[in-house]
Amino acid sequence: SKVLYQSLVGEAKDGECDFVIMGSNYFVIIEVKQSSKQADKQAAKHQAERTEKLIEKIMTKLSVNVVPQVFKFAAFPYDKSVGDEHYLKEKDLQNDSNFNAWWKTNVLQLVKPEQQESSDLYRQTKD
């Protein structure tokens, strides 16, 4: 997560950079936006939904028998006014420790037990 954290904080100043992270049986989509204006929130939601559909199509094409859990978030690294749990806030991105705590709460603790017990999606797609 340190590389992801550094990328979120480092590159977001110059423009938007988005992330798709593949866990063993889940995906995390992070749409990075410069501001939390309603238009940017809507754009982030729309882009995340498009990415989720692409992931589903890839899984179908690869005949993967696991339906991955997909977590969608938007990050506003320079906006202190964001207040929803589906957004990474400035404080979440202040340092690696804060980001790790956010990741554990918002991703790892929410992975469904059946997803944790199913075969490894990463290994299936790699093979």
Side-chain angles (χ1 to χ4, degrees):
S1 69
K2 188 170 188 164
V3 172
L4 175 61
Y5 160 75
Q6 290 172 338
S7 297
L8 277 167
V9 176
E11 296 175 27
K13 287 182 181 179
D14 299 329
E16 296 175 2
C17 52
D18 302 325
F19 298 89
V20 176
I21 300 101
M22 182 179 193
S24 59
N25 288 307
Y26 62 88
F27 285 87
V28 178
I29 300 167
I30 301 176
E31 294 287 337
V32 181
K33 297 294 178 192
Q34 291 296 318
S35 76
S36 62
K37 294 177 186 170
Q38 191 59 34
D40 284 340
K41 287 181 180 179
Q42 288 299 96
K45 181 181 177 184
H46 177 71
Q47 289 171 338
E49 288 170 353
R50 285 180 45 211
T51 303
E52 182 178 22
K53 287 179 183 172
L54 178 62
I55 290 168
E56 291 169 359
K57 287 180 183 178
I58 291 170
M59 295 295 105
T60 301
K61 191 80 167 165
L62 293 174
S63 300
V64 174
N65 60 359
V66 175
V67 177
Q69 199 171 356
V70 179
F71 299 96
K72 297 174 284 216
F73 302 98
F76 303 97
Y78 303 103
D79 194 333
K80 296 179 185 191
S81 65
V82 179
D84 187 296
E85 69 275 2
H86 291 6
Y87 302 115
L88 281 100
K89 302 162 202 61
E90 182 188 43
K91 73 174 182 68
D92 300 322
L93 300 170
Q94 284 177 343
N95 57 51
D96 195 40
S97 178
N98 286 10
F99 183 76
N100 283 334
W102 177 90
W103 184 269
K104 183 178 180 182
T105 301
N106 292 282
V107 177
L108 295 182
Q109 291 181 357
L110 300 178
V111 175
K112 294 177 184 173
E114 61 269 20
Q115 295 296 107
Q116 294 172 359
E117 296 169 6
S118 62
S119 60
D120 190 332
L121 177 65
Y122 177 75
R123 186 163 287 123
Q124 286 186 36
T125 56
K126 180 180 169 224
D127 295 341

